[in-house]
Amino acid sequence: MRGERFIKSLNDGRTVWYEGARLEQLSIHPAFKGTLDTIRQLFNMIDEPATRDIVGYQVPGKPHYAHRSFLVPYSKEDLAKRSASFAHWSQSTHGMMSRLSDYARSVVTGWYAARKQLGQLDPHFETKISAYYEQARDNDLFLTTAIIDPQIDRSSGLEDGRIAERFLHVVRQTSDGIVVRGAKMIATGAPYTHDFIISSFLKFEQKDREHAHVLIVPANSPGLHIVCRESFADTREQNHILSSRYDEMDAVLFFDDVLIPWERVLLYGDSQKVLALRNNPTANALAFHQNIVRYVAKLEFVTGVTLSIAESIGVNGYLHIQEKLGELLTQIDVMKALVIASETEARPDDNGVFVPKLQYIDTARAIGTKFYPRALEILQQVGGGGFVQTPSGMEDFYGPISKMMHLYFEGANVSAEKKVQLFKLAWDLIGSPLGSRHELYERFYAGDPVRAYANKYAAEDKNSLTAPIWKLLQESSKRGTTLV
């Protein structure tokens, strides 16, 4: 099955660094084993009759299935199929894995869908993206993005030589491609991706053309070093249910004179064209749509845990607790409504592709930076001191103090064992290294949250809101003159 093929494909000579050593076999390393097993199961869903038509679709003219993130939606029905696929994977992982490649795959699908329009940027773009899209689709390639430049000195720009030399840039061109040097962060899923989509958030000046590029880089490229953060995985599944399964590894990428073949160089040397590709609404709408579908599953999971905690300790009857639980339920409704609105108001773009309405998606991504931290805060408030009262392990329930364990850890309506398991699950959300990473991720994965709100203000047609105000004042002024 394709899940097993995926695991085997990672033995391709890639250079992954962890705790000072180069890793040879990711699939058996404790920092990756649980996560890769989760991904293996997700990939296998496309081969299983019960789930094949939920997460996959049969490629037209071919006998095999592909993941629906590769489905170009030429109707609202197609868009609904993409949404159902995102939801199924997200619900299967409780929204805890955000970079399962369906996001980056959707970027590629969006560029492919808009290939004729984007072909105006470069005469070779359409051929390149078409070939790569089919390769990624037909070979179940795992994709991720790396678009942030290294955090060295945010007060300086590319005019500072020490910054310019460390931001990813082209050092020379050859007949085979371009050679790049520098670093990129933060590549989630980097150790087990097949290819990286490389770009930048910066708005380059033309003099900085060597920094302006959009690349697709194989993970096993000679000279590419994948440097992992500390693992938050925990093999003690009974004590860390989430950390044992869902630690998406983040990494920094070092490019030590890496050759990128011309067929993988989508754009290079023109900052305006790079910016136009990055801001392409077709690709952004299809990719960001996955973000907010996943977010619903994550909010539902946190809310479910919080409701269970409240019931297990008998506080769900108190008004101030009900208010907090109601706030969580409202969060879910708001996010669901924005997903529904984005899909309901989907319209065909200039390429004939039905894209969800980006306005509602941007709103969901912006408020999500506030929703998730607030959801965790409510969970902390509901559980209170119970989170630091749980025993170190479940073994005490079977040892010499078993009787007292069952007596003193019992809940209002659940056994002592179930209550302890529940609180350990909740601690994985709010107190473990994995939980802290997720809170940080949800605050910043969509970019600077301040800039997100500011951009919404700048892009909005505000006249439709302000014109009625001035009209009312004008009418009031006329009425006042008439009365006098």
Side-chain angles (χ1 to χ4, degrees):
M1 299 178 76
R2 66 190 71 201
E4 283 66 33
R5 292 201 304 269
F6 164 71
I7 298 297
K8 291 179 181 178
S9 72
L10 302 180
N11 298 321
D12 59 1
R14 64 187 59 206
T15 302
V16 179
W17 295 95
Y18 183 76
E19 294 184 340
R22 180 179 177 180
L23 300 185
E24 298 297 333
Q25 289 187 302
L26 295 178
S27 60
I28 62 174
H29 193 284
F32 302 96
K33 188 177 185 303
T35 299
L36 289 177
D37 188 56
T38 298
I39 297 173
R40 178 186 60 79
Q41 294 176 52
L42 294 173
F43 271 44
N44 280 343
M45 287 181 179
I46 305 179
D47 294 321
E48 295 167 351
T51 53
R52 183 179 61 187
D53 292 313
I54 299 176
V55 298
Y57 75 105
Q58 186 166 356
V59 179
K62 297 192 177 184
H64 63 271
Y65 274 67
H67 190 271
R68 283 183 178 174
S69 53
F70 289 115
L71 175 64
V72 179
Y74 289 114
S75 66
K76 285 191 176 182
E77 290 74 20
D78 288 342
L79 188 61
K81 290 178 180 178
R82 287 175 56 87
S83 185
S85 175
F86 299 150
H88 192 80
W89 266 16
S90 297
Q91 289 162 3
S92 298
T93 55
H94 310 291
M96 296 297 292
M97 297 187 75
S98 55
R99 287 292 187 259
L100 289 169
S101 84
D102 43 358
Y103 168 76
R105 288 171 170 181
S106 293
V107 173
V108 170
T109 299
W111 288 342
Y112 170 76
R115 60 193 181 280
K116 294 190 179 300
Q117 176 190 16
L118 293 173
Q120 300 172 14
L121 301 177
D122 184 281
H124 304 292
F125 181 87
E126 184 176 352
T127 300
K128 290 179 180 179
I129 197 62
S130 297
Y132 183 74
Y133 163 79
E134 292 182 6
Q135 179 189 0
R137 179 196 65 193
D138 297 343
N139 291 280
D140 303 299
L141 295 188
F142 193 110
L143 313 179
T144 196
T145 59
I147 58 178
I148 307 298
D149 297 294
Q151 195 180 52
I152 297 170
D153 183 352
R154 292 295 194 232
S155 67
S156 297
L158 293 178
E159 68 280 356
D160 185 337
R162 68 193 181 104
I163 301 297
E165 69 180 8
R166 299 180 209 185
F167 282 21
L168 190 65
H169 61 286
V170 176
V171 293
R172 64 179 179 274
Q173 297 184 41
T174 73
S175 58
D176 296 322
I178 59 176
V179 177
V180 296
R181 183 186 304 162
K184 279 292 180 181
M185 57 178 274
I186 302 168
T188 301
Y192 42 82
T193 194
H194 290 120
D195 290 325
F196 295 100
I197 299 174
I198 304 293
S199 185
S200 176
F201 268 136
L202 297 181
K203 295 181 179 179
F204 300 105
E205 297 180 21
Q206 197 56 38
K207 64 182 179 63
D208 302 314
R209 65 184 305 271
E210 69 272 14
H211 290 85
H213 45 247
V214 180
L215 315 171
I216 298 177
V217 182
N220 64 343
S221 298
L224 176 60
H225 299 266
I226 302 171
V227 184
C228 300
R229 62 157 165 79
E230 178 184 358
S231 173
F232 303 144
D234 196 307
T235 57
R236 299 168 296 168
E237 185 168 356
Q238 278 195 317
N239 294 314
H240 297 276
I241 297 175
L242 304 179
S243 298
S244 63
R245 306 178 187 186
Y246 305 137
D247 182 25
E248 290 184 298
M249 179 58 75
D250 307 296
V252 177
L253 308 181
F254 295 165
F255 292 78
D256 185 18
D257 288 8
V258 177
L259 173 66
I260 314 298
W262 284 116
E263 63 267 20
R264 295 295 191 97
V265 180
L266 298 184
L267 289 178
Y268 163 57
D270 190 312
S271 58
Q272 293 303 312
K273 290 180 179 179
V274 168
L275 187 63
L277 182 60
R278 194 188 78 195
N279 292 334
N280 178 257
T282 302
N284 286 347
L286 294 184
F288 296 162
H289 178 223
Q290 181 273 341
N291 290 168
I292 63 173
V293 173
R294 176 199 62 85
Y295 209 94
V296 170
K298 196 167 190 177
L299 289 178
E300 288 178 333
F301 180 63
V302 176
T303 301
V305 172
T306 310
L307 290 170
S308 300
I309 290 283
E311 293 171 1
S312 73
I313 59 177
V315 299
N316 53 321
Y318 293 107
L319 182 61
H320 71 287
I321 297 295
Q322 291 177 345
E323 178 209 17
K324 292 177 174 61
L325 299 178
E327 184 179 342
L328 292 179
L329 293 168
T330 300
Q331 283 189 350
I332 295 173
D333 286 345
V334 169
M335 199 61 66
K336 278 185 175 179
L338 289 168
V339 172
I340 293 170
S342 72
E343 295 173 2
T344 302
E345 296 195 22
R347 297 291 184 272
D349 63 6
D350 295 339
N351 310 291
V353 180
F354 270 78
V355 293
K357 191 163 185 176
L358 200 51
Q359 176 184 350
Y360 298 129
I361 292 176
D362 287 341
T363 296
R365 280 159 51 90
I367 64 175
T369 63
K370 298 180 183 295
F371 272 15
Y372 190 74
R374 174 57 180 159
L376 294 188
E377 182 182 28
I378 291 175
L379 176 54
Q380 291 173 328
Q381 292 171 337
V382 171
F387 293 118
V388 293
Q389 294 176 13
T390 55
S392 57
M394 302 301 295
E395 294 81 4
D396 287 329
F397 281 103
Y398 312 102
I401 59 172
S402 173
K403 185 175 180 179
M404 289 185 287
M405 290 290 295
H406 285 89
L407 178 64
Y408 296 120
F409 277 107
E410 187 178 8
N413 57 3
V414 295
S415 69
E417 286 183 274
K418 287 298 181 184
K419 180 186 167 188
V420 168
Q421 285 179 328
L422 176 62
F423 270 79
K424 283 185 173 294
L425 173 63
W427 182 254
D428 232 2
L429 279 171
I430 64 170
S432 72
L434 180 79
S436 297
R437 181 264 182 196
H438 272 268
E439 182 177 1
L440 185 69
Y441 178 88
E442 298 298 353
R443 285 182 184 274
F444 296 110
Y445 85 93
D448 179 2
V450 174
R451 191 176 301 275
Y453 279 102
N455 286 344
K456 186 165 183 62
Y457 165 77
E460 194 74 20
D461 176 15
K462 296 171 283 292
N463 185 62
S464 62
L465 299 173
T466 59
I469 307 303
W470 298 116
K471 181 180 180 182
L472 176 62
L473 293 177
Q474 185 178 22
E475 291 174 349
S476 177
S477 178
K478 289 181 179 178
R479 282 173 58 84
T481 303
T482 302
L483 289 175
V484 173

